Amino acid sequence: MVLQTDGKLIVGGNFSTFNGITRNRIARLLMLSNQSILFGTLAQRILGDAPFALNATATSGLPVSYTSSNTAVATISGNTVTLVGAGTTTITASQAGNADFAAAPSVNQNLTVVAVTSLADVSNPSAVWVPYPNPASTQVNWAIPNRSGQGYGYAFYNLQGQPLLSGQGVVADELLQWDVSALPAGVYTLRLQVGSETYHKTVVKQ
């Protein structure tokens, strides 16, 4: 018995054929190589942050798949995470293997999503553009520092990509406010353009 460098095992011995004749043969058997997944800790997110990509890798070079244990907090499509609610979910990275590699042990990382009810919930409000409260029921506010006098445009898009609420104006006091009471409950992408800058945030309407 000899293990080759390509991961295949050479086995010699007597093997019976279909008609009962015993012959000495050499069998070349495949042994699957092991692999592992590298998946780092996930930073805390604010509900309203744009979708982001996961970047786990397998030592085999094969693609990694992901699942979310709590789809009320975050959903996953491919390697893209979309935040839909406050709370904690476990993101599991998996690799099922193939003809050369055995399945890798799955790796779990917790993802915590924090709801923002006021600017006090943001660690550095002057440096973070974030809509609040989020989730919202009647009104969404967005503080945008150092932009007074600049023109802006906004739109709330539903999951089908349809703009259900939109408009434009001029930033007056570094705080934008929108009445969202008429929007149906659901998850929206708020697109805000101020001057040449464009921002996308997820807003949950209760």
Side-chain angles (χ1 to χ4, degrees):
M1 182 182 298
V2 178
L3 179 63
Q4 294 185 304
T5 57
D6 63 359
K8 295 180 175 61
L9 187 67
I10 300 297
V11 180
N14 293 326
F15 299 89
S16 295
T17 62
F18 71 94
N19 58 5
I21 300 175
T22 300
R23 299 181 184 276
N24 185 271
R25 289 287 186 269
I26 294 178
R28 195 164 183 259
L29 305 178
L30 175 67
M31 292 185 65
L32 297 180
S33 299
N34 292 325
Q35 61 170 327
S36 59
I37 293 174
L38 306 177
F39 187 24
T41 302
L42 299 174
Q44 177 178 287
R45 298 279 174 163
I46 296 173
L47 184 59
D49 284 350
F52 64 95
L54 298 169
N55 57 3
T57 58
T59 54
S60 62
L62 296 173
V64 175
S65 60
Y66 305 92
T67 58
S68 170
S69 67
N70 189 348
T71 54
V73 173
T75 60
I76 301 177
S77 177
N79 71 331
T80 300
V81 178
T82 299
L83 308 178
V84 296
T88 300
T89 183
T90 299
I91 306 298
T92 300
S94 305
Q95 213 307 307
N98 62 7
D100 296 311
F101 289 91
S106 297
V107 179
N108 297 327
Q109 293 291 356
N110 288 332
L111 172 64
T112 299
V113 181
V114 178
V116 177
T117 58
S118 71
L119 281 181
D121 293 332
V122 183
S123 59
N124 186 3
S126 64
V128 178
W129 289 32
V130 57
Y132 67 93
N134 196 4
S137 56
T138 58
Q139 181 173 289
V140 172
N141 309 296
W142 199 336
I144 50 174
N146 306 315
R147 296 298 188 276
S148 291
Q150 294 190 24
Y152 71 90
Y154 71 93
F156 287 80
Y157 294 89
N158 62 15
L159 294 179
Q160 289 71 47
Q162 301 167 318
L164 299 190
L165 178 64
S166 62
Q168 58 187 8
V170 176
V171 180
D173 55 3
E174 299 188 346
L175 179 66
L176 303 179
Q177 297 178 310
W178 300 288
D179 182 356
V180 296
S181 56
L183 288 178
V187 179
Y188 295 86
T189 295
L190 171 54
R191 179 182 185 273
L192 175 65
Q193 182 170 358
V194 181
S196 61
E197 300 169 291
T198 302
Y199 299 86
H200 295 85
K201 296 291 185 179
T202 300
V203 173
V204 177
K205 169 61 167 53
Q206 294 179 326

